[in-house]
mmCIF file of all heavy atoms in Angstrom:
data_model
loop_
_atom_site.group_PDB
_atom_site.id
_atom_site.type_symbol
_atom_site.label_atom_id
_atom_site.label_comp_id
_atom_site.label_asym_id
_atom_site.label_seq_id
_atom_site.Cartn_x
_atom_site.Cartn_y
_atom_site.Cartn_z
ATOM 1 N N ALA A 56 -13.072 33.181 -13.207
ATOM 2 C CA ALA A 56 -12.120 34.268 -13.002
ATOM 3 C C ALA A 56 -11.157 33.912 -11.874
ATOM 4 O O ALA A 56 -11.488 33.133 -10.968
ATOM 5 C CB ALA A 56 -12.870 35.548 -12.660
ATOM 6 N N LEU A 57 -9.952 34.479 -11.933
ATOM 7 C CA LEU A 57 -8.999 34.312 -10.840
ATOM 8 C C LEU A 57 -9.470 35.151 -9.671
ATOM 9 O O LEU A 57 -9.633 36.371 -9.792
ATOM 10 C CB LEU A 57 -7.604 34.743 -11.286
ATOM 11 C CG LEU A 57 -6.511 34.661 -10.211
ATOM 12 C CD1 LEU A 57 -6.259 33.218 -9.796
ATOM 13 C CD2 LEU A 57 -5.218 35.311 -10.705
ATOM 14 N N GLU A 58 -9.704 34.511 -8.549
ATOM 15 C CA GLU A 58 -10.159 35.214 -7.355
ATOM 16 C C GLU A 58 -9.747 34.418 -6.127
ATOM 17 O O GLU A 58 -9.542 33.197 -6.200
ATOM 18 C CB GLU A 58 -11.677 35.388 -7.376
ATOM 19 C CG GLU A 58 -12.454 34.082 -7.461
ATOM 20 C CD GLU A 58 -13.951 34.302 -7.603
ATOM 21 O OE1 GLU A 58 -14.330 35.295 -8.252
ATOM 22 O OE2 GLU A 58 -14.733 33.501 -7.067
ATOM 23 N N PRO A 59 -9.601 35.096 -4.989
ATOM 24 C CA PRO A 59 -9.217 34.371 -3.763
ATOM 25 C C PRO A 59 -10.302 33.372 -3.363
ATOM 26 O O PRO A 59 -11.489 33.663 -3.447
ATOM 27 C CB PRO A 59 -9.084 35.492 -2.719
ATOM 28 C CG PRO A 59 -8.849 36.732 -3.518
ATOM 29 C CD PRO A 59 -9.662 36.552 -4.769
ATOM 30 N N PHE A 60 -9.878 32.178 -2.931
ATOM 31 C CA PHE A 60 -10.836 31.177 -2.464
ATOM 32 C C PHE A 60 -10.119 30.138 -1.596
ATOM 33 O O PHE A 60 -8.890 30.025 -1.611
ATOM 34 C CB PHE A 60 -11.528 30.482 -3.642
ATOM 35 C CG PHE A 60 -10.631 29.588 -4.467
ATOM 36 C CD1 PHE A 60 -10.346 28.284 -4.077
ATOM 37 C CD2 PHE A 60 -10.067 30.059 -5.652
ATOM 38 C CE1 PHE A 60 -9.522 27.461 -4.835
ATOM 39 C CE2 PHE A 60 -9.231 29.252 -6.415
ATOM 40 C CZ PHE A 60 -8.963 27.948 -6.010
ATOM 41 N N VAL A 61 -10.930 29.410 -0.862
ATOM 42 C CA VAL A 61 -10.462 28.239 -0.121
ATOM 43 C C VAL A 61 -11.375 27.086 -0.509
ATOM 44 O O VAL A 61 -12.602 27.203 -0.395
ATOM 45 C CB VAL A 61 -10.504 28.449 1.406
ATOM 46 C CG1 VAL A 61 -10.050 27.188 2.125
ATOM 47 C CG2 VAL A 61 -9.643 29.632 1.815
ATOM 48 N N ALA A 62 -10.800 25.984 -0.993
ATOM 49 C CA ALA A 62 -11.590 24.837 -1.440
ATOM 50 C C ALA A 62 -11.153 23.579 -0.703
ATOM 51 O O ALA A 62 -9.955 23.365 -0.484
ATOM 52 C CB ALA A 62 -11.432 24.633 -2.942
ATOM 53 N N SER A 63 -12.122 22.768 -0.326
ATOM 54 C CA SER A 63 -11.843 21.510 0.362
ATOM 55 C C SER A 63 -12.188 20.340 -0.549
ATOM 56 O O SER A 63 -13.223 20.354 -1.224
ATOM 57 C CB SER A 63 -12.663 21.412 1.662
ATOM 58 O OG SER A 63 -12.326 22.458 2.546
ATOM 59 N N TYR A 64 -11.318 19.332 -0.552
ATOM 60 C CA TYR A 64 -11.505 18.145 -1.378
ATOM 61 C C TYR A 64 -11.472 16.881 -0.524
ATOM 62 O O TYR A 64 -10.739 16.803 0.464
ATOM 63 C CB TYR A 64 -10.394 18.026 -2.428
ATOM 64 C CG TYR A 64 -10.448 19.037 -3.538
ATOM 65 C CD1 TYR A 64 -9.853 20.282 -3.393
ATOM 66 C CD2 TYR A 64 -11.081 18.747 -4.743
ATOM 67 C CE1 TYR A 64 -9.891 21.224 -4.417
ATOM 68 C CE2 TYR A 64 -11.120 19.674 -5.774
ATOM 69 C CZ TYR A 64 -10.526 20.914 -5.601
ATOM 70 O OH TYR A 64 -10.569 21.831 -6.616
ATOM 71 N N GLN A 65 -12.249 15.912 -0.949
ATOM 72 C CA GLN A 65 -12.167 14.568 -0.395
ATOM 73 C C GLN A 65 -11.255 13.768 -1.318
ATOM 74 O O GLN A 65 -11.426 13.799 -2.542
ATOM 75 C CB GLN A 65 -13.560 13.938 -0.331
ATOM 76 C CG GLN A 65 -13.642 12.652 0.475
ATOM 77 C CD GLN A 65 -15.080 12.175 0.618
ATOM 78 O OE1 GLN A 65 -15.965 12.604 -0.123
ATOM 79 N NE2 GLN A 65 -15.329 11.294 1.569
ATOM 80 N N ALA A 66 -10.248 13.102 -0.746
ATOM 81 C CA ALA A 66 -9.254 12.395 -1.549
ATOM 82 C C ALA A 66 -9.487 10.887 -1.491
ATOM 83 O O ALA A 66 -9.662 10.318 -0.412
ATOM 84 C CB ALA A 66 -7.846 12.716 -1.048
ATOM 85 N N PHE A 67 -9.496 10.255 -2.684
ATOM 86 C CA PHE A 67 -9.675 8.808 -2.785
ATOM 87 C C PHE A 67 -8.463 8.192 -3.476
ATOM 88 O O PHE A 67 -7.867 8.820 -4.365
ATOM 89 C CB PHE A 67 -10.927 8.468 -3.590
ATOM 90 C CG PHE A 67 -12.209 8.882 -2.936
ATOM 91 C CD1 PHE A 67 -12.676 10.182 -3.057
ATOM 92 C CD2 PHE A 67 -12.949 7.968 -2.198
ATOM 93 C CE1 PHE A 67 -13.858 10.578 -2.454
ATOM 94 C CE2 PHE A 67 -14.142 8.354 -1.594
ATOM 95 C CZ PHE A 67 -14.596 9.668 -1.715
ATOM 96 N N TYR A 68 -8.122 6.996 -3.078
ATOM 97 C CA TYR A 68 -7.068 6.229 -3.749
ATOM 98 C C TYR A 68 -7.639 4.874 -4.139
ATOM 99 O O TYR A 68 -8.074 4.098 -3.290
ATOM 100 C CB TYR A 68 -5.857 6.045 -2.836
ATOM 101 C CG TYR A 68 -4.751 5.222 -3.473
ATOM 102 C CD1 TYR A 68 -3.990 5.752 -4.509
ATOM 103 C CD2 TYR A 68 -4.473 3.924 -3.044
ATOM 104 C CE1 TYR A 68 -2.993 5.012 -5.109
ATOM 105 C CE2 TYR A 68 -3.477 3.174 -3.644
ATOM 106 C CZ TYR A 68 -2.736 3.724 -4.670
ATOM 107 O OH TYR A 68 -1.745 2.976 -5.269
ATOM 108 N N LYS A 69 -7.718 4.637 -5.451
ATOM 109 C CA LYS A 69 -8.291 3.403 -5.987
ATOM 110 C C LYS A 69 -9.676 3.139 -5.420
ATOM 111 O O LYS A 69 -10.021 2.017 -5.047
ATOM 112 C CB LYS A 69 -7.362 2.218 -5.733
ATOM 113 C CG LYS A 69 -6.053 2.318 -6.508
ATOM 114 C CD LYS A 69 -5.214 1.059 -6.399
ATOM 115 C CE LYS A 69 -3.974 1.155 -7.287
ATOM 116 N NZ LYS A 69 -3.123 -0.055 -7.213
ATOM 117 N N GLY A 70 -10.471 4.206 -5.350
ATOM 118 C CA GLY A 70 -11.854 4.072 -4.926
ATOM 119 C C GLY A 70 -12.088 4.110 -3.434
ATOM 120 O O GLY A 70 -13.246 4.120 -2.996
ATOM 121 N N LYS A 71 -11.021 4.154 -2.644
ATOM 122 C CA LYS A 71 -11.166 4.169 -1.190
ATOM 123 C C LYS A 71 -10.718 5.515 -0.638
ATOM 124 O O LYS A 71 -9.709 6.062 -1.070
ATOM 125 C CB LYS A 71 -10.346 3.039 -0.556
ATOM 126 C CG LYS A 71 -10.816 1.646 -0.946
ATOM 127 C CD LYS A 71 -10.008 0.577 -0.240
ATOM 128 C CE LYS A 71 -10.488 -0.821 -0.602
ATOM 129 N NZ LYS A 71 -9.705 -1.879 0.093
ATOM 130 N N GLU A 72 -11.462 6.014 0.335
ATOM 131 C CA GLU A 72 -11.119 7.306 0.919
ATOM 132 C C GLU A 72 -9.756 7.245 1.594
ATOM 133 O O GLU A 72 -9.464 6.315 2.362
ATOM 134 C CB GLU A 72 -12.194 7.730 1.924
ATOM 135 C CG GLU A 72 -11.995 9.146 2.438
ATOM 136 C CD GLU A 72 -13.105 9.596 3.357
ATOM 137 O OE1 GLU A 72 -14.046 8.797 3.584
ATOM 138 O OE2 GLU A 72 -13.036 10.744 3.848
ATOM 139 N N ALA A 73 -8.911 8.236 1.305
ATOM 140 C CA ALA A 73 -7.551 8.244 1.847
ATOM 141 C C ALA A 73 -7.271 9.457 2.727
ATOM 142 O O ALA A 73 -6.331 9.458 3.512
ATOM 143 C CB ALA A 73 -6.530 8.201 0.707
ATOM 144 N N GLY A 74 -8.068 10.512 2.591
ATOM 145 C CA GLY A 74 -7.822 11.713 3.375
ATOM 146 C C GLY A 74 -8.520 12.896 2.767
ATOM 147 O O GLY A 74 -9.543 12.750 2.093
ATOM 148 N N ASP A 75 -7.973 14.083 2.994
ATOM 149 C CA ASP A 75 -8.570 15.276 2.398
ATOM 150 C C ASP A 75 -7.481 16.253 1.982
ATOM 151 O O ASP A 75 -6.311 16.096 2.325
ATOM 152 C CB ASP A 75 -9.572 15.936 3.360
ATOM 153 C CG ASP A 75 -8.937 16.314 4.687
ATOM 154 O OD1 ASP A 75 -7.837 16.917 4.681
ATOM 155 O OD2 ASP A 75 -9.538 16.042 5.743
ATOM 156 N N ALA A 76 -7.879 17.244 1.216
ATOM 157 C CA ALA A 76 -6.934 18.236 0.712
ATOM 158 C C ALA A 76 -7.609 19.601 0.707
ATOM 159 O O ALA A 76 -8.825 19.703 0.562
ATOM 160 C CB ALA A 76 -6.468 17.875 -0.695
#
Side-chain angles (χ1 to χ4, degrees):
L57 178 65
E58 59 185 34
F60 69 82
V61 178
S63 299
Y64 289 86
Q65 191 174 17
F67 294 83
Y68 178 71
K69 293 188 175 180
K71 296 183 179 180
E72 187 176 359
D75 58 47

